[in-house]
Amino acid sequence: MAIPKAYKRMHIPGVAARRTASEGDIEVNPARHLGVYAPPRAGKTTLLRGLALDLPKANDCVVVDTAQRGDWTGIFPTTADPDALGDPDAYPKVVWQPDLDAVRNPSKDLSDPWSRGWWYLWNVRGELDESGQPVAGSTLVIDEPADGVLAKVIPDVHRAVVQGEGRRLAIWWGSQNVLTVYWRLRANTQQRFASPLPTAQDRGILAADWGVEIPLADESTEWGSFFFHSPGKPLIGPSSIRQLLPGPAGRRTLEIAEAQRLQGR
């Protein structure tokens, strides 16, 4: 399989810093792994969706939507075709809905649609030039990575987890169960959003990986409240999604969440 013609883009700037109501700036870098952890119905997908919408226009983005529940409908163009991932000029921002049978049971020769899509992500979106520098890169958004990224990890998925940041191929993941997040990805994630935690077990797991204890939830915990942490810095928060995303991206993702709530989703 030949690598499609290389494409070039301008330097991808970082997402503009946003300020919480009472604390310091939170800078989000689209070229670094990022995680959002929260129990069910606590605002995980809403925050992750808002962060994706807040990416700079020049930043390529691929949403890997295995659940296909409609949470990402209308955000970017949607396709089930893995070959579309190999055409970033036509699809700089795209929601990829891969065949779930291929996700759960990739073929041994890696010719299935799931493996083919990741081949494009690693070799085209994450292509390096002759000097070993990234040609462009893409932010990969994976909501609930229990399917495919963990079930049977194919080589290109593992490469993206371990070496993706060197190719500007960062994984932004969201999960409601820390035990389902590949430990290498969880430990390698340097940009961390977490809602107040439901159990002491969750706090212990994240404390071991991240070196910080996230407070436990209580009766005063509000929907959409998140702490932010990066290595060597103090815990920031809790902050609401509206505080973390004060611009149009935040308003849009909250509007989608409200519409889903009224529909009983």
Side-chain angles (χ1 to χ4, degrees):
M1 187 184 301
I3 297 176
K5 184 179 179 181
Y7 69 105
K8 296 183 178 180
R9 298 217 183 276
M10 298 175 62
H11 172 69
I12 302 173
V15 176
R18 65 292 310 271
R19 181 175 292 277
T20 65
S22 60
E23 306 196 48
D25 288 339
I26 296 175
E27 295 184 358
V28 174
N29 186 342
R32 303 296 303 274
H33 293 333
L34 178 148
V36 177
Y37 172 72
R41 298 186 179 278
K44 166 187 59 67
T45 296
T46 301
L47 177 58
L48 191 61
R49 187 172 53 215
L51 290 168
L53 286 168
D54 201 36
L55 284 165
K57 292 182 179 180
N59 195 113
D60 287 4
C61 179
V62 177
V63 178
V64 183
D65 182 17
T66 56
Q68 302 176 26
R69 294 186 297 259
D71 291 331
W72 297 91
T73 300
I75 301 299
F76 306 132
T78 300
T79 183
D81 182 6
D83 293 339
L85 306 185
D87 191 357
D89 289 319
Y91 296 96
K93 288 182 168 67
V94 64
V95 176
W96 178 37
Q97 295 184 332
D99 177 79
L100 192 56
D101 289 339
V103 173
R104 300 296 290 180
N105 297 289
S107 60
K108 292 183 178 180
D109 63 0
L110 304 180
S111 63
D112 61 278
W114 174 247
S115 302
R116 184 180 177 89
W118 276 94
W119 187 93
Y120 283 121
L121 292 176
W122 180 253
N123 291 286
V124 179
R125 303 271 179 167
E127 184 181 0
L128 299 177
D129 62 20
E130 293 181 356
S131 66
Q133 297 301 309
V135 174
S138 288
T139 302
L140 310 181
V141 179
I142 305 176
D143 194 0
E144 291 301 344
D147 290 314
V149 177
L150 297 178
K152 293 183 179 180
V153 180
I154 59 176
D156 285 335
V157 171
H158 181 74
R159 292 187 183 102
V161 169
V162 178
Q163 301 175 326
E165 289 185 336
R167 294 175 176 243
R168 296 191 67 89
L169 198 68
I171 295 176
W172 286 13
W173 56 268
S175 179
Q176 56 186 257
N177 185 344
V178 294
L179 294 176
T180 67
V181 180
Y182 182 30
W183 72 270
R184 287 293 298 268
L185 177 59
R186 197 173 64 226
N188 288 355
T189 297
Q190 305 293 299
Q191 305 177 107
R192 309 149 178 176
F193 290 92
S195 71
L197 301 178
T199 69
Q201 181 187 39
D202 290 329
R203 181 170 62 181
I205 292 171
L206 291 183
D209 284 341
W210 293 350
V212 63
E213 289 196 353
I214 309 295
L216 295 178
D218 56 31
E219 295 181 355
S220 66
T221 300
E222 297 183 359
W223 178 90
S225 295
F226 286 89
F227 292 93
F228 177 80
H229 182 255
S230 58
K233 296 183 179 180
L235 196 65
I236 296 177
S239 304
S240 69
I241 293 174
R242 193 176 302 279
Q243 291 169 325
L244 294 169
L245 298 165
R251 291 195 296 272
R252 184 178 178 192
T253 193
L254 287 168
E255 289 171 357
I256 293 172
E258 178 62 14
Q260 292 175 334
R261 184 189 68 81
L262 294 174
Q263 294 171 2
R265 293 169 48 194

